Amino acid sequence: MRLTTRGRYAVTAMLDLALHGDNGPVALADISARQDISLSYLEQLFAKLRKNALVRSVRGPGGGYCLQADSKDINIAVIIDAVNETTDATNCAGKGDCQGGQVCLTHHLWDDLSEQIHNFLSGISLATLTQQQRVKQVCQRQDESQLNVNIKPEGFQLIETLVAP
Amino acid sequence: MRLTTRGRYAVTAMLDLALHGDNGPVALADISARQDISLSYLEQLFAKLRKNALVRSVRGPGGGYCLQADSKDINIAVIIDAVNETTDATNCAGKGDCQGGQVCLTHHLWDDLSEQIHNFLSGISLATLTQQQRVKQVCQRQDESQLNVNIKPEGFQLIETLVAP
DNA sequence: TAATACCCGACTATTTAACTTGGTTTAATA
DNA sequence: TATTAAACCAAGTTAAATAGTCGGGTATTA
């Protein structure tokens, strides 16, 4: 179980999908705009998510991605694992070959911690999150600011792009 | 709360100290040999541990490092935090300025997770670990193999160095 | 048939951890 | 007092991984 920004991005994108997927497929371009994640990076992540049967794609105009299962049946741990396929089992975290084929002093501790994290995250589904008030609030804010961007003339959008981090 | 190999090294070194600190200060060179951590890297880590009052140093021949407090009063979370002073609060983990000054969609989730991890690790002290049977076993193995290395002629040591990862 | 959107692979920039080098300072001991 | 073993310090270097880019595709459907 590796925790990186990549996993965070994947979870964020999947949550966006769960929140906006009621009316057919969601385009990656929309997720990219709402969540400030580069489009091509999203494409890479969703290729992995699709291979792991977490989403399915609809091609052509009006297409995009849908959740493969019900949002209450997709938990956070599964999403992170899907996106970290290259799990090298960081030194200690994987097999017990941390110290020349043997187990290192703190191997069991990190093993316990990994289990702890995994249990926590696999107990949380996308549905759990979409039902939370605090998530709904952020979602609403993002939708509104997205609306503003669409309304703004092109000149303003340019400035915004330059100013943004 | 960042989880990196640096934190793992620090905890491993501190545990080694807890296990071998009964007879006066422990030299970093010994920890380096037992735990396969480069000496100068250990020096850097212990500089931070010392600044955070987790260890105290004794200079000169026969010197080394001692735990500043009783091993039952030093928990794992404190060690990791001490060594990760440059806590940039990765994007989301710190303040809620993940998305242009605002909170991003999954901010609260990672916040909850951080708390979960911190609680788990701060509930474990060095003494907790030294009392564990599985830790004692690894410690014993390391002490014995350390003995072997000291007995071997220089030629063998050289080969071992070349073969080791 | 053209626009839309997914798909794919290689490439690059940046960051950071891990490690190295080459010293200086301190104190025990022979 | 000279030697030695240890902590201390400050750079620089290497290697790996992440985040992101670019330029091409290919399938779908309005």
Side-chain angles (χ1 to χ4, degrees):
Chain A
M1 183 100 237
R2 284 195 309 168
L3 289 177
T4 74
T5 9
R6 174 201 261 130
R8 276 201 275 269
Y9 279 159
V11 174
T12 303
M14 287 289 282
L15 183 55
D16 185 281
L17 206 53
L19 287 164
H20 296 91
D22 293 332
N23 320 314
V26 179
L28 288 191
D30 292 345
I31 301 182
S32 167
R34 272 192 298 263
Q35 307 302 335
D36 287 336
I37 308 175
S38 105
L39 179 58
S40 2
Y41 201 48
L42 273 180
E43 287 181 348
Q44 289 174 32
L45 296 180
F46 272 78
K48 293 186 177 187
L49 294 172
R50 199 172 61 91
K51 275 177 202 147
N52 284 269
L54 293 179
V55 297
R56 82 189 146 77
S57 69
V58 177
R59 309 184 73 155
Y65 283 93
C66 309
L67 294 182
Q68 183 92 284
D70 194 283
S71 68
K72 75 176 189 311
D73 296 324
I74 301 179
N75 72 59
I76 307 303
V78 166
I79 297 173
I80 294 179
D81 284 340
V83 120
N84 284 343
E85 279 178 316
T86 60
T87 278
D88 296 337
T90 331
N91 272 349
C92 231
K95 312 295 166 74
D97 57 349
C98 346
Q99 198 178 25
Q102 299 273 23
V103 164
C104 83
L105 241 200
T106 45
H107 175 83
H108 303 105
L109 173 63
W110 310 123
D111 230 34
D112 290 352
L113 176 61
S114 292
E115 196 186 327
Q116 192 81 193
I117 294 176
H118 199 275
N119 284 346
F120 177 73
L121 290 180
S122 61
I124 299 176
S125 71
L126 288 177
T128 313
L129 295 178
T130 54
Q131 286 160 13
Q132 288 178 358
Q133 198 55 39
R134 57 194 196 182
V135 169
K136 284 182 192 167
Q137 282 168 5
V138 175
C139 176
Q140 192 180 347
R141 198 196 68 220
Q142 289 178 342
D143 286 345
E144 281 166 4
S145 102
Q146 194 52 29
L147 210 59
N148 290 341
V149 168
N150 288 338
I151 289 172
K152 279 180 194 162
E154 286 181 63
F156 277 88
Q157 281 189 44
L158 197 83
I159 290 170
E160 190 130 303
T161 307
L162 291 172
V163 166
Chain B
M1 185 97 237
R2 282 197 312 168
L3 289 176
T4 73
T5 11
R6 175 202 260 128
R8 276 201 274 271
Y9 279 159
V11 173
T12 302
M14 288 289 282
L15 182 54
D16 185 282
L17 206 53
L19 287 163
H20 296 91
D22 294 331
N23 319 316
V26 178
L28 289 191
D30 292 345
I31 301 183
S32 167
R34 273 192 297 263
Q35 307 303 335
D36 287 336
I37 308 174
S38 104
L39 177 58
S40 2
Y41 199 50
L42 273 179
E43 287 180 349
Q44 290 174 31
L45 295 180
F46 273 77
K48 294 186 176 186
L49 294 172
R50 198 171 59 93
K51 275 177 202 148
N52 284 269
L54 293 178
V55 296
R56 82 188 146 76
S57 67
V58 177
R59 305 183 71 159
Y65 285 93
C66 311
L67 294 181
Q68 185 92 282
D70 194 284
S71 68
K72 72 175 191 310
D73 296 323
I74 301 179
N75 72 59
I76 307 302
V78 167
I79 297 173
I80 293 179
D81 284 340
V83 118
N84 286 342
E85 276 179 317
T86 60
T87 277
D88 296 338
T90 330
N91 273 348
C92 232
K95 313 294 167 73
D97 57 349
C98 347
Q99 198 177 26
Q102 299 274 21
V103 164
C104 83
L105 241 200
T106 46
H107 175 83
H108 301 105
L109 174 63
W110 311 122
D111 232 32
D112 290 351
L113 176 61
S114 292
E115 196 187 328
Q116 191 79 196
I117 294 175
H118 199 274
N119 284 346
F120 177 73
L121 290 180
S122 61
I124 299 176
S125 70
L126 287 178
T128 313
L129 294 178
T130 53
Q131 285 159 14
Q132 288 178 358
Q133 199 53 40
R134 56 194 196 182
V135 169
K136 284 183 191 165
Q137 282 167 6
V138 175
C139 175
Q140 193 180 346
R141 197 196 69 221
Q142 289 178 342
D143 286 344
E144 281 166 5
S145 100
Q146 195 51 28
L147 209 58
N148 290 339
V149 168
N150 288 338
I151 288 173
K152 277 181 195 161
E154 286 182 62
F156 277 89
Q157 282 189 45
L158 197 85
I159 289 170
E160 190 129 301
T161 307
L162 291 171
V163 166

